[in-house]
């Protein structure tokens, strides 16, 4: 069943469908049965085997070319050259294997320390469990800062969710728990559903797990990466070089045979001609190239390791070095989606940060990324002064008003503070030098 279809279900329908209860959750027997049916709530990665990783280091046309060169040396009774070429192949493969195996082990160790936990209702009790142990039908509690551990349907509460990992939109999306009148066409319209990997920005909600692991939207995207065979441009060019060398060698050998046959005819010594041709083929093979490449890429990987970068594939070093133009997407996809205050415009005697703090003096569950950035900018003294004001109410940001409005009280005085897009705020203000403000804004 499509995950989005559950958007139209009432709470009672959800309870019946997943055989769960909003007040008690699943029983341990139900959890055990679901775990057998659906498996762990994690995203499968490429299966790792050190043996397959080692074998992959020798699975390239250039390696095959060197192996052929070593065999040719044996035929020519050039044992020392055959040993050298074989050693080059083995050392080159082992160096690459060591670097990539070490990277895999580092990532495995890192993942072992990144175990998230979720508050779940089971058997009438609230428990903290590893997120990977969740099953469809579990009732979970989500709070600000929590990563949504599975695809869920909200059944109580109102929250805002950062969905930038799926949609690229940095603005948090408001989610409610009421059933929708019709099934949404995409995740943008699923205003009562949460998706694996997204983050709760504000609010607290109770949600029902409707899909886990590979059955989630994020899991479906992950499966595409598992099915995709990755070949870097560097590997493609190396394969092209190998093909070119093979073509040149074949053409040279054919031309050599034809010339000898034309010149000497029946007097041609076919054995000597064959040995000579093999020697020519051996001479055209750049035996040292793979070792030079591996050492150069390993040096790059070592330099990146000093900057806490784990390199899984050595060939990616060359791809990184070949970048001439780097294009980045909007906030929240390639960045951390964390805001900071970098500059403020204010006239002498004005206290912009003070009023910005007043606009951020809300309940903890209502704080958004803008509020947290302003609180981080303010000194303890400024925060202490703002704390003397009492929060009254707030109107959250929406795309139509393009601003938030907060009401605070200080004694008998009530103050309204609005924060939003520059154009909207300037429109609300008394006459100002808008040209000066807009010029300042463009310089930031």
């Amino acid at each position: 069943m499509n995950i989005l279809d559950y958007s139209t279900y009432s709470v009672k329908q959800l309870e019946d469908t997943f055989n769960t209860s909003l007040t008690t959750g699943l029983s341990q027997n139900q959890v055990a049965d679901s775990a057998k049916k659906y498996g762990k709530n994690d995203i499968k990665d490429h299966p790792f085997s050190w043996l397959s990783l080692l074998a992959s280091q020798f699975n390239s046309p250039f390696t095959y070319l060197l192996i052929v060169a070593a065999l040719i040396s044996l035929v020519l009774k050039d044992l020392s050259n055959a040993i050298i070429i074989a050693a080059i192949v083995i050392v080159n493969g082992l160096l690459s294997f060591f670097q990539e195996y070490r990277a895999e082990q580092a990532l495995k160790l890192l993942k072992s320390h990144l175990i998230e936990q979720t508050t779940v209702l089971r058997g009438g009790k609230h428990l903290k469990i590893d997120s990977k142990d969740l099953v469809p039908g579990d009732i979970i509690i989500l709070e600000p800062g929590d990563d949504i551990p599975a695809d869920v349907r909200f059944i109580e509460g109102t929250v805002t969710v950062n969905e930038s990992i799926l949609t690229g939109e940095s603005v948090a999306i408001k989610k409610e728990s009421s059933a929708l009148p019709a099934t949404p066409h995409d995740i943008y319209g699923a205003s009562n559903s949460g998706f694996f990997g997204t983050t709760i920005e504000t609010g607290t909600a109770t949600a029902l797990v409707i899909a886990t692991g590979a059955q989630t939207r994020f899991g479906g995207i992950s499966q595409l990466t598992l099915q995709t065979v990755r070949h870097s441009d560097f590997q493609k060019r190396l394969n092209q070089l190998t093909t070119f060398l093979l073509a040149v060698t074949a053409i040279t050998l054919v031309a050599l045979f034809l010339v000898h046959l034309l010149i000497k005819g029946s007097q041609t010594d076919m054995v000597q001609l064959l040995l000579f041709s093999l020697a020519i083929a051996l001479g055209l093979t750049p035996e040292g190239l793979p070792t030079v490449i591996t050492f150069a890429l390993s040096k790059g990987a070592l330099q990146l390791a000093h900057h806490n970068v784990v390199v899984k594939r050595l060939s990616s070093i060359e791809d990184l070095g070949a970048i001439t133009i780097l294009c980045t997407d909007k906030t929240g996809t390639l960045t951390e989606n964390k805001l900071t205050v970098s500059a403020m415009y204010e006239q002498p005697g004005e206290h912009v940060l003070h009023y910005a703090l007043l606009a951020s003096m809300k309940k903890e569950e209502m704080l958004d990324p803008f509020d947290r950035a302003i609180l981080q900018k303010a000194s303890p003294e400024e925060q202490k002064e703002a704390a003397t004001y009492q929060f009254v109410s707030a109107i959250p940001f929406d795309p139509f008003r393009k601003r938030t409005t907060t009401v605070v009280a200080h004694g008998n005085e009530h103050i309204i503070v609005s924060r939003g897009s520059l154009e909207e705020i300037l429109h609300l203000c008394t006459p100002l030098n808008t040209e000066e403000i807009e010029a300042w804004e463009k310089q930031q």
Side-chain angles (χ1 to χ4, degrees):
M1 184 173 183
N2 190 333
I3 293 172
L4 298 180
D5 291 336
Y6 295 114
S7 299
T8 61
Y9 280 35
S10 66
V11 174
K12 184 64 171 62
Q13 287 176 303
L14 290 170
E15 288 180 312
D16 293 341
T17 301
F18 290 93
N19 194 23
T20 187
S21 168
L22 183 58
T23 55
T24 61
L26 296 175
S27 66
Q28 291 303 322
N29 290 335
Q30 288 176 307
V31 171
D33 291 340
S34 293
K36 290 179 182 178
K37 181 178 180 180
Y38 298 103
K40 290 287 186 181
N41 177 36
D42 55 11
I43 305 299
K44 300 295 182 183
D45 201 351
H46 288 278
F48 175 75
S49 164
W50 70 268
L51 193 59
S52 61
L53 180 62
L54 179 61
S56 68
Q57 308 306 320
F58 301 96
N59 184 22
S60 69
F62 209 97
T63 301
Y64 302 151
L65 183 62
L66 291 182
I67 292 173
V68 171
L71 294 175
I72 291 174
S73 296
L74 286 176
V75 172
L76 297 175
K77 298 181 179 180
D78 189 352
L79 185 60
S80 61
N81 197 45
I83 293 174
I84 290 172
I85 296 175
I88 288 173
V89 172
I90 294 171
V91 169
N92 177 67
L94 290 178
L95 279 174
S96 300
F97 167 76
F98 174 74
Q99 171 62 36
E100 296 187 12
Y101 178 80
R102 188 172 60 177
E104 287 286 352
Q105 294 302 108
L107 287 175
K108 189 181 294 184
L109 179 63
L110 181 62
K111 289 179 180 179
S112 69
H113 289 285
L114 296 177
I115 299 176
E116 293 188 357
Q117 291 197 317
T118 302
T119 301
V120 63
L121 177 64
R122 286 182 177 174
K125 297 180 180 179
H126 286 95
L127 308 171
K128 275 280 188 181
I129 67 168
D130 291 346
S131 298
K132 64 181 181 180
D133 293 327
L134 289 173
V135 297
D138 266 328
I139 306 295
I140 62 175
I141 309 300
L142 297 170
E143 298 177 339
D146 287 348
D147 290 333
I148 299 180
D151 283 358
V152 301
R153 162 66 198 280
F154 295 110
I155 51 181
E156 279 186 3
T158 300
V159 294
T160 58
V161 180
N162 177 3
E163 294 185 334
S164 58
I165 192 172
L166 286 179
T167 65
E169 295 295 335
S170 60
V171 178
I173 306 300
K174 185 178 180 181
K175 300 284 187 175
E176 297 179 335
S177 54
S178 57
L180 300 181
T183 302
H185 297 292
D186 48 44
I187 63 175
Y188 299 98
S191 59
N192 59 3
S193 301
F195 302 96
F196 180 92
T198 59
T199 306
I200 302 293
E201 289 282 359
T202 63
T204 301
T206 302
L208 185 146
V209 175
I210 57 178
T212 58
Q215 284 72 47
T216 63
R217 279 301 178 102
F218 192 85
I221 296 173
S222 178
Q223 290 302 309
L224 294 177
T225 65
L226 294 176
Q227 297 168 6
T228 302
V229 179
R230 296 175 295 179
H231 292 295
S232 68
D233 288 338
F234 175 68
Q235 290 173 310
K236 292 176 182 178
R237 290 197 296 270
L238 191 59
N239 291 341
Q240 289 172 355
L241 175 62
T242 304
T243 303
F244 173 74
L245 289 175
L246 289 173
V248 169
T249 302
I251 293 172
T252 302
L253 295 181
V254 170
L256 189 62
F257 262 97
L258 292 176
V259 169
H260 272 72
L261 290 174
L262 288 174
I263 294 176
K264 294 189 175 182
S266 59
Q267 297 180 354
T268 301
D269 187 339
M270 298 302 295
V271 175
Q272 289 297 321
L273 179 58
L274 177 61
L275 293 176
F276 180 70
S277 300
L278 292 176
I280 291 292
L282 184 62
L284 291 173
T285 304
E287 295 91 346
L289 182 59
T291 304
V292 172
I293 290 173
T294 300
F295 271 102
L297 296 182
S298 296
K299 183 180 179 181
L302 185 61
Q303 290 176 338
L304 287 175
H306 291 156
H307 296 279
N308 300 320
V309 178
V310 178
V311 179
K312 289 188 65 176
R313 294 180 300 117
L314 281 180
S315 59
S316 63
I317 298 292
E318 199 279 338
D319 287 342
L320 182 64
I323 293 176
T324 54
I325 299 175
L326 178 63
C327 300
T328 60
D329 200 354
K330 64 179 71 172
T331 303
T333 49
L334 296 179
T335 64
E336 294 182 348
N337 198 23
K338 293 181 179 178
L339 303 179
T340 57
V341 178
S342 60
M344 292 182 292
Y345 177 89
E346 60 184 14
Q347 296 290 345
E350 294 180 346
H351 303 285
V352 172
L353 184 58
H354 171 70
Y355 288 104
L357 274 172
L358 296 183
S360 300
M361 289 292 115
K362 307 169 186 175
K363 297 178 181 179
E364 178 62 31
E365 64 270 15
M366 296 177 63
L367 295 181
D368 60 28
F370 288 94
D371 297 323
R372 295 190 178 95
I374 292 168
L375 288 171
Q376 186 178 16
K377 176 70 174 178
S379 65
E381 292 76 16
E382 290 169 321
Q383 292 188 35
K384 186 175 180 180
E385 180 185 354
T388 61
Y389 290 74
Q390 182 181 2
F391 171 78
V392 178
S393 64
I395 302 175
F397 180 90
D398 67 65
F400 301 102
R401 295 178 70 247
K402 297 183 180 179
R403 66 181 188 274
T404 62
T405 301
T406 304
V407 181
V408 296
H410 192 259
N412 295 325
E413 181 185 18
H414 284 72
I415 300 174
I416 299 176
V417 185
S418 287
R419 182 186 69 206
S421 67
L422 178 63
E423 298 79 6
E424 184 65 24
I425 297 301
L426 288 179
H427 176 70
L428 296 174
C429 292
T430 54
L432 293 171
N433 187 346
T434 56
E435 292 183 0
E436 179 181 336
I437 296 174
E438 290 173 348
W440 172 85
E441 188 265 342
K442 290 179 181 178
Q443 293 174 359
Q444 304 310 309

